[in-house]
C-alpha cells in the first residue's frame, strides 16, 4: 500500500471485535448482536454495560447486582475533587478537566481491569456534573445511589427531581452512542491497553482523542449553527457563506457512513418525542428544516462525496432539549463512550496482540552530521 492509500487508515481493519458492527454503506449499526434502533430506545444503560462487557443481556438478578455495583462507585476520590476545584479556578474547558480527573481514578481501587472499568463508567457523570457546577460557582452534589445511571447523570448537574422524559431522552442518547467500531478514541484506547497498560491510562488517552472537533467536538458547533441561522429563510444563505469560506458544516459527513448515520434517526425520533412534551418545539422544527437545506446544498457543493447527517446534529438538539448546556455535550458523549472504551479494552486484553503498525519513511537518508560550530548562523 502507498502512503496515499494509508492516509487516515481509511478502510484498514486493525482489530476484530464482537462489540459493534458498523456498515457504512448500508447505514447499519449493530451493538453486540442487537440493531441499535431496536435496543437503544428501550434498554437501560446498565443493561448495555452488561451486554458490552459480558456479551449478553443480564438476567434480572445480574442487572440488580451490576446496577448496585456501579452505583456504589459514584463517589469521587478526595484528590479528584481537589483537582476539579483547581481546574475550575483556572477556567479549564470541561474536556480538559475530565481528562485530568479521569487519570486520578487510579488513586483508588486498582484491583483488576474489570474493577477499573466499573470505576470509570460509574465516576464519569460525577466528574462532569461536579465540574460543571464548580465552574458555575456551585458545590458538587453528593451522588445518590438509588438513581438509575441516566438519572444520576442529570442529577449531578442540576440536582432536584429529574422527570422521566428527560432521563429517558438522555438514556436513549447514551445507549445510541456507547460504542461505534474502531473510531479514533476507541482505537487510541485499544492501542494503549495493547501494551498491557491499564484501563485508566487507556481511557485518559481516549478522552484526549474524543476532545477534537473532528470527533466528539461537533455537537456544540452544530447547535451554534442552528441558533445562528435562527429562521428557516436564512438557512440557505448562512450555509452557502460558510461553505464559501471553506468551513465544514458541523453535524454532517462521516468517515465511515456513506448514507445517513442510523444514530441520527434514533436521536431525531427521541428528540421529536421529547419536544412533543417539553422544550422548544419551534427549535426542533427549525433544525429539521436546516437539515433538509444543508443536505441539498452539500449535495450540490460536493457532488462526488455523499455527505449526510451524522449523529452529532441530533445529539445537539436532544441534549439541548433535556437541558444540558452546550459545553457539556462532548463530555456527555464521553459519559456514554467510556462504556465502549472499557469494553474494547477488556476485549483487547482478552484476545489482542500489541498494536504496532509501521510507517513509510519519506524523508532523506544521506545527510551527514556537522557540529553546530560548523553550521551557518
Ligand atoms: N461540510 C462541508 N464539507 C465537508 C464536510 C462537512 N461537514 N465533511 C466533509 N466535507 C468535504 C471535505 O472538505 C472534503 O472536501 P475536499 O475533498 O475538497 O477537501 C470532502 O468533503 C471529503 O472530506 P474528508 O475530510 O475526506 O472526510 P473525512 O472522512 O476525513 O471526514 C468528518 C469525516 C471529519 C466527520 C468530516 O465529514 C467533517 O469534518 N464533518 C464535520 C464535523 C463533524 O460533524 N464531526 C462529527 C463526526 S461524527 C463523530 O465523530 C461521532
Amino acid at each position: 500500500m502507498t502512503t496515499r492509500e494509508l492516509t487516515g487508515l481509511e478502510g484498514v481493519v486493525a482489530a476484530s471485535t464482537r462489540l459493534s458492527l458498523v456498515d457504512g454503506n448500508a447505514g447499519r449499526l449493530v451493538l453486540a448482536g442487537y440493531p441499535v434502533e431496536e435496543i437503544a430506545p428501550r434498554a437501560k444503560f446498565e443493561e448495555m454495560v452488561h451486554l458490552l462487557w459480558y456479551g449478553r443481556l443480564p438476567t434480572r438478578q445480574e442487572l440488580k447486582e451490576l446496577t448496585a455495583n456501579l452505583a456504589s462507585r459514584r463517589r469521587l476520590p478526595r484528590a479528584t475533587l481537589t483537582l476539579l476545584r483547581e481546574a475550575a479556578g483556572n477556567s479549564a474547558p470541561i474536556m480538559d478537566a475530565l481528562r485530568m480527573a479521569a487519570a486520578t481514578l487510579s488513586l483508588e481501587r486498582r484491583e483488576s481491569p474489570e474493577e477499573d472499568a466499573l470505576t470509570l463508567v460509574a465516576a464519569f457523570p460525577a466528574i462532569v456534573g461536579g465540574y460543571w457546577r464548580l465552574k458555575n460557582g456551585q458545590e458538587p452534589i453528593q451522588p445518590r445511589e438509588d438513581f438509575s445511571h441516566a438519572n444520576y447523570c442529570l442529577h449531578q448537574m442540576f440536582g432536584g427531581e429529574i422527570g422521566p422524559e428527560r432521563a429517558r431522552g438522555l438514556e436513549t442518547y447514551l445507549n445510541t452512542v456507547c460504542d461505534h467500531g474502531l473510531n479514533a478514541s476507541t482505537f487510541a484506547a485499544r492501542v494503549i491497553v495493547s501494551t498491557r497498560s491499564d484501563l485508566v491510562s487507556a481511557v485518559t488517552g481516549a478522552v484526549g482523542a474524543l476532545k477534537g472537533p473532528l470527533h466528539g467536538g461537533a455537537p456544540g458547533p452544530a447547535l451554534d449553527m442552528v441558533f445562528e441561522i435562527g429562521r428557516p429563510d436564512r438557512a440557505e444563505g448562512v450555509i452557502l457563506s460558510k461553505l464559501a469560506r471553506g468551513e465544514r458544516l458541523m453535524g454532517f459527513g462521516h468517515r465511515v457512513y456513506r448514507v445517513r448515520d442510523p444514530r441520527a434517526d434514533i436521536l431525531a425520533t427521541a428528540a421529536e418525542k421529547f419536544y412533543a412534551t417539553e422544550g422548544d418545539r419551534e427549535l426542533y422544527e427549525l433544525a429539521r428544516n436546516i437539515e433538509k437545506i444543508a443536505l441539498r446544498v452539500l449535495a450540490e457543493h460536493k457532488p462526488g462525496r455523499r455527505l449526510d447527517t451524522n449523529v452529532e446534529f441530533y445529539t445537539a438538539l436532544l441534549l439541548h432539549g433535556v437541558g444540558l448546556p452546550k459545553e457539556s455535550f462532548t463530555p456527555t458523549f464521553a459519559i456514554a463512550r467510556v462504556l465502549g472504551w472499557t469494553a474494547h479494552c477488556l476485549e483487547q486484553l482478552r484476545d489482542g496482540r500489541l498494536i504496532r503498525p509501521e510507517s513509510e519513511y519519506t524523508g532523506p537518508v544521506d545527510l551527514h552530521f556537522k557540529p553546530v560550530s560548523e553550521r551557518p548562523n
Side-chain angles (χ1 to χ4, degrees):
M1 257 190 209
T2 66
T3 321
R4 180 73 203 117
E5 283 169 307
L6 283 171
T7 301
L9 294 181
E10 186 165 2
V12 174
V13 174
S16 332
T17 182
R18 297 182 61 83
L19 297 168
S20 53
L21 163 71
V22 183
D23 182 341
N25 292 322
R28 177 171 171 233
L29 170 62
V30 176
L31 295 173
Y34 297 87
V36 65
E37 58 278 11
E38 181 179 324
I39 197 162
R42 293 164 66 195
K44 292 188 167 146
F45 182 74
E46 289 86 341
E47 290 180 279
M48 301 302 293
V49 174
H50 196 284
L51 177 65
L52 293 196
W53 285 354
Y54 306 115
R56 60 172 176 77
L57 286 171
T59 63
R60 255 175 288 172
Q61 184 58 25
E62 285 167 339
L63 180 60
K64 216 168 131 189
E65 283 167 17
L66 179 62
T67 301
N69 202 349
L70 281 169
S72 71
R73 291 164 187 263
R74 290 175 178 167
R75 191 188 50 78
L76 298 178
R78 201 152 24 100
T80 309
L81 285 166
T82 306
L83 178 129
L84 291 179
R85 279 182 209 284
E86 285 287 322
N90 284 292
S91 305
I94 311 187
M95 283 302 280
D96 288 344
L98 176 61
R99 190 199 64 242
M100 292 186 273
T104 66
L105 294 176
S106 37
L107 281 166
E108 286 184 3
R109 303 191 180 98
R110 303 197 40 75
E111 297 89 347
S112 66
E114 289 75 17
E115 298 279 333
D116 275 349
L118 281 160
T119 300
L120 285 157
V121 169
F124 264 38
I127 295 174
V128 172
Y131 185 66
W132 187 73
R133 290 181 70 84
L134 285 166
K135 251 194 127 180
N136 288 286
Q138 295 170 301
E139 273 303 294
I141 296 172
Q142 194 65 20
R144 293 244 318 242
E145 291 192 19
D146 55 331
F147 282 157
S148 72
H149 194 79
N151 214 321
Y152 146 66
C153 293
L154 291 167
H155 185 254
Q156 283 298 286
M157 292 195 85
F158 308 115
E161 282 305 307
I162 308 295
E165 288 82 15
R166 284 174 74 199
R168 184 62 248 175
L170 181 65
E171 193 155 44
T172 298
Y173 168 74
L174 297 178
N175 294 348
T176 301
V177 303
C178 68
D179 193 46
H180 199 242
L182 210 56
N183 57 84
S185 56
T186 301
F187 184 48
R190 279 191 92 126
V191 169
I192 292 172
V193 95
S194 82
T195 68
R196 296 288 181 264
S197 179
D198 63 288
L199 265 70
V200 174
S201 301
V203 165
T204 303
V207 173
L210 184 71
K211 183 181 137 178
L214 298 190
H215 188 4
L223 188 67
D224 285 342
M225 185 177 75
V226 173
F227 282 126
E228 183 190 342
I229 291 172
R231 297 192 321 257
D233 59 314
R234 281 174 36 83
E236 186 152 351
V238 173
I239 289 170
L240 283 171
S241 57
K242 278 184 184 299
L243 294 176
R245 287 197 298 272
E247 287 178 30
R248 292 184 177 201
L249 299 186
M250 292 294 151
F252 297 89
H254 198 274
R255 171 58 65 85
V256 179
Y257 291 117
R258 291 290 168 246
V259 293
R260 195 173 151 95
D261 183 334
R263 300 168 300 173
D265 281 333
I266 299 168
L267 299 185
T269 306
E272 182 166 23
K273 251 191 206 161
F274 182 81
Y275 282 98
T277 54
E278 280 186 49
D280 182 353
R281 179 83 204 166
E282 262 180 42
L283 182 75
Y284 174 75
E285 297 298 344
L286 173 65
R288 289 226 83 135
N289 271 312
I290 291 173
E291 183 195 12
K292 271 190 220 133
I293 295 164
L295 290 176
R296 177 169 52 74
V297 173
L298 280 171
E300 288 159 13
H301 178 71
K302 284 266 159 242
R305 174 100 178 178
R306 178 116 189 235
L307 295 172
D308 221 313
T309 316
N310 68 40
V311 66
E312 306 292 26
F313 189 76
Y314 282 102
T315 290
L317 209 58
L318 180 61
L319 296 188
H320 174 74
V322 303
L324 291 171
K326 201 177 65 180
E327 312 85 276
S328 75
F329 289 175
T330 307
T332 304
F333 188 2
I335 287 173
R337 188 53 66 81
V338 68
L339 169 54
W341 295 332
T342 51
H344 274 271
C345 287
L346 295 174
E347 188 177 59
Q348 178 71 33
L349 286 174
R350 259 192 323 267
D351 314 330
R353 264 187 97 199
L354 172 70
I355 299 174
R356 202 308 188 182
E358 289 179 31
S359 51
E360 183 191 20
Y361 178 69
T362 58
V365 291
D366 50 3
L367 303 180
H368 294 288
F369 180 79
K370 272 189 193 162
V372 69
S373 56
E374 292 173 28
R375 285 177 235 154
N377 265 329

